[in-house]
Structures are given as C-alpha cells and as structure tokens.
Amino acid sequence: MSKTSIGVAVIGAGMAGKAHAAGYRSATAVFGEALPPVRLVSVADAYEPLAAATARRFGFERFDTSWQAIAAADDIDVVSVVVANRLHRQIVEALLAAGKNVLCEKPLSDTLDDARAMVAAADAAGETVARIGLTFLRSPGIAFLGQLVRSGRLGRLINFDGAYWTDYACDPNGPISWRFKGPAGSGALADVGSHLTYIAELFGGPVATVRGGTLHTAYTSRPTPLGMVVGHEHAAVSDRREPVENDDVAGFFVDFAAGGTGSLQVSRVAQGHPNTLKFEVFCERGSASFDFRHPGQVRLRLPDDDVASSGYRTVILGPEHPYWRGGLAMDAPGVGVGQNDGFVFQARAFLDEVAGVAESESLPRNADFAAGLHNMALLGAATESALAGGSAVDVPLLAAAH
Ligand SMILES: NC(=O)c1ccc[n+]([C@@H]2O[C@H](COP(=O)([O-])OP(=O)(O)OC[C@H]3O[C@@H](n4cnc5c(N)ncnc54)[C@H](O)[C@@H]3O)[C@@H](O)[C@H]2O)c1
C-alpha cells in the first residue's frame, strides 16, 4: 500500500461496533512496528447520540450518521461493517466499489444469495482487502489447541463436541430486535453457530455432511421496544408484540470430509450461560478441551502421559501460546485474556494486511469472504436438515474452510 497512513472507520456503534473501535485503537500498540500511522477517522451509526459518544470514547476524529458518508470519504481506507447481518451486503458492496478495504462481521449475511454476491464483489475489487471478523479463532487457547490437533500430536480426530450457549433471549419480555427477524436458521444458529462451526472446522477441516438438524423457537413473540436497542440490552418496551421469526435453539451433527464426526449445539435461551463457548476434541491418542468461561487456560490429555499419572491437565496460557507475546499490554504468563483482546488481534491482522506487511512478519490473515460463504453454506445445510426432519444434507464444498 502506497499511503503513508491508514484512515479507519467503523460502521455500527452497537455491541460489537464498540469492540471494533477499541480494537483499532489498541492495534498499533501490539505486536511489531511495521504499520504506518493509523488515523482513527470516523464512527458511523444511524443513531446519532451513539455515533457521537462512541467516536469520543474511542478517540475517533469525527462521527457520521450514514454509511454512505464513510463510502464517500477520501480520508478513509479501512472500514469495519458491524451492523445487522441483513444490511451487510448493501454496505459492503458500496464500500468495495468505493475502493475501501472491508472487515465485515460474521455471518456474511442472512442469505446465501447475498453471500455469493459479496464474494463476487470482493473478487471484482481486485487488490482491495475483504475479510470476515471471526474473533474466536484468535483466542489464544483456541488457536493453540487448533495447532496442536492439526499437528497430529494427539492422533487422528475422532469427535468434536461443541456448544455455544448464550442467555440473551431468556426473558420472553425482552425487546425484539434485528436478531429475531429473518429466514429459518438466522437466529441462534447464525448468530453464535457461525462462530462454533468455524471453530469445529479449525479442528476437523471442512464439513462434508450435516445430519440431525433441529431448530426450535422457545418464545414465539416479543414486545416492540419504545426506543433504541443496542446489542442484548433490555430497553423499555410497549405492550405490542411482534412475531419471532427464527430459532432460539439449534443443534446438528457433522461429518468432516477428512473423517471424524462432531455434534454442535447453540442457544440464546440457555439460563445462566451469558457467553459459554465450550468444546472438547477427542482424538485417537489424546483429548483437548476449552471453555470460554476460563479463556486463559486449556485442558489437555496428552498421549505421552504415563499410565499411572495420566489424565486431563490444566495448562495456564502465557507467552508460549499464540497471540500472547507482544499482543497483550502486559504479556506475562497467566495474566488472562478475554474476548475483547481478539478484536485487537483481528484489527492488527487486518491493518497489517492492508499495509502490505508480509504474513510471515504478522499474524495469520483474517478469513476471506469465500470462507464466509462456505460457513453460510454449512449453516444453510444445518437449516435444510432441520426443515427436512433431520435428514442428511451434503455441504457444497464452495471453498476451503480456512
Ligand atoms: N464477533 C463477535 O464476537 C460479535 C459479537 C456481537 C455481534 N457480532 C456481529 O456484529 C454485527 C452487529 O451486531 P451488534 O450486536 O453489534 O448489533 P447492535 O444491534 O448492537 O448494533 C448495530 C448498530 O447498527 C446501527 N445501525 C443500524 N442501521 C444502520 C445504518 N443503516 N447505518 C449505520 N448504522 C446502523 C444501529 O443503530 C446499532 O447501533 C452483527 O453482524 C453480529 O453478528 C459479532
């Protein structure tokens, strides 16, 4: 990239938009020194007070109230798109056409047609970088276990058992928002299932077939909010109710193309689980497990344990694990790590790529739109399986998973 600085904008200042804004703010303070100066230019949100407050809090030069203003701005090179999934396509296409490098939140969209169009737009944009935000792949424990399993040290993968349970929709009188609208499978399955399926494929490789799909809506209507709803907040509501269109709970089994099987469950109505992403991977000669309630540690059953003392051990993460050294302000062993750190690592990887920093000098690149399309095809197969009473559905191998 020939520019001597990179101008950054974030579209959407809601729950995840603020994490992107904070990520860019911290990104230059972590890892190497190869980046040109990064200018935090604008935060855009349709709700002006939120745009203004977020820009001020995270040190951006200005705020805007429309994404069109970001697309038209000459001083912006890099844009995160962090709004409702169904809005992604229109905004991303316009940004790419305007020559902006785009980091789009997951999932790419609500429909496969949109996702295909977004891949085509990214291809047409040539050198412009188009990536999808998948923060959990950058959680040090998940990245470490992924490397360990793929290295073969634990032997061939037999089974991935994963769940992503959240409780943000437990209250049937919580306000309806964009999350509850959309086609079958656009609820918990798309929202948190997109993360879980990416992680499953990090371990098992591309999924070939999905079976036993189920989709369940626990609360079929929710009240209309009286004002703005940000993220999972409980805004004041009216006495009018609207139908919930998508799933509160979903589950399915997968067969990986390379062999091995998996079971995946997601929920947004799991009482007592605000953000429980957890999985266990069973391989021929060992096992590994991770639970996001304790993101600074992993558990391992290694093949070289002697029989008398064998069993699961807890490993506290530190500078010997991915993303830690130079990636945390205090990068000492055992200091802990959280979901927000993943947004910093993600922003740094994106800025490095846009700036032309070689991957060997940087972090693993963020996933591309083709991987985002594959993820949606996998979620689509799970939906199709559920709608067909649990039948086996092949996933079109549209692209490599990672
Ligand atoms: N990676 C993660 O961990 C993670 C976590 C949460 C959400 N997400 C993703 O981030 C995206 C946003 O989710 P969220 O929870 O932050 O949503 P949110 O509802 O909290 O925020 C969305 C924001 O977009 C604004 N908005 C709506 N229409 C707009 C427009 N036309 N132009 C500009 N702004 C507009 C709204 O005012 C709101 O502030 C989704 O794609 C979601 O899947 C990712």
Side-chain angles (χ1 to χ4, degrees), residues 320-354:
E320 304 314 315
H321 299 99
Y323 296 105
W324 209 276
R325 195 186 298 280
L328 298 176
M330 183 167 68
D331 57 3
V335 295
V337 67
Q339 190 164 346
N340 287 293
D341 298 297
F343 286 93
V344 180
F345 307 152
Q346 173 178 286
R348 178 69 202 222
F350 189 53
L351 291 169
D352 276 354
E353 185 173 9
V354 169

Side-chain angles (χ1 to χ4, degrees), residues 112 184 189 213 215 377-394 396:
L112 263 175
L189 181 62
L215 295 172
L378 169 45
L379 297 172
T383 302
E384 211 182 307
S385 170
L387 296 178
S391 305
V393 176
D394 288 342

Side-chain angles (χ1 to χ4, degrees), residues 14-16 45-46 50 83 85 88 105-106 178-179 228 231 339:
M15 183 169 66
D45 196 286
L50 186 60
V83 293
N85 304 336
H88 290 177
E105 260 300 343
K106 47 49 62 177
W178 64 265
R179 279 190 160 79
M228 168 85 184
Q339 190 164 346

Side-chain angles (χ1 to χ4, degrees), residues 108-336:
L108 270 189
S109 180
D110 263 358
T111 69
L112 263 175
D113 282 350
D114 277 0
R116 282 192 199 95
M118 291 166 78
V119 170
D123 289 346
E127 297 294 295
T128 306
V129 182
R131 297 287 177 255
I132 181 165
L134 290 162
T135 42
F136 288 105
L137 298 184
R138 297 177 184 284
S139 188
I142 297 174
F144 168 62
L145 293 183
Q147 288 170 7
L148 187 78
V149 169
R150 289 197 309 276
S151 76
R153 183 165 170 205
L154 304 185
R156 189 174 55 91
L157 180 144
I158 297 170
N159 183 37
F160 175 96
D161 180 22
Y164 198 158
W165 293 333
T166 63
D167 64 2
Y168 65 82
C170 271
D171 180 357
N173 294 315
I176 200 145
S177 72
W178 64 265
R179 279 190 160 79
F180 301 93
K181 300 286 185 184
S186 65
L189 181 62
D191 195 19
V192 290
S194 50
H195 286 302
L196 186 62
T197 44
Y198 265 106
I199 291 166
E201 289 192 322
L202 179 71
F203 288 90
V207 168
T209 306
V210 173
R211 297 173 273 115
T214 59
L215 295 172
H216 175 65
T217 305
Y219 304 114
T220 54
S221 74
R222 291 181 180 274
T224 309
L226 290 170
M228 168 85 184
V229 180
V230 174
H232 307 322
E233 281 174 15
H234 278 198
V237 295
S238 73
D239 51 14
R240 198 167 69 81
R241 298 182 78 88
E242 291 179 45
V244 169
E245 296 175 356
N246 52 27
D247 46 291
D248 289 329
V249 181
F252 54 101
F253 297 97
V254 299
D255 295 323
F256 296 104
T261 185
S263 67
L264 287 80
Q265 285 183 22
V266 296
S267 176
R268 60 188 181 191
V269 290
Q271 288 275 359
H273 289 274
N275 194 32
T276 300
L277 166 63
K278 60 175 188 169
F279 59 84
E280 196 150 357
V281 189
F282 302 102
C283 302
E284 278 179 328
R285 296 188 296 119
S287 306
S289 85
F290 179 85
D291 185 328
F292 210 79
R293 288 171 293 187
H294 309 285
Q297 66 184 47
V298 297
R299 301 192 72 237
L300 285 174
R301 163 68 167 88
L302 293 172
D304 39 5
D305 279 347
D306 70 88
V307 176
S309 58
S310 71
Y312 258 112
R313 69 176 68 169
T314 299
V315 177
I316 305 296
L317 300 173
E320 304 314 315
H321 299 99
Y323 296 105
W324 209 276
R325 195 186 298 280
L328 298 176
M330 183 167 68
D331 57 3
V335 295

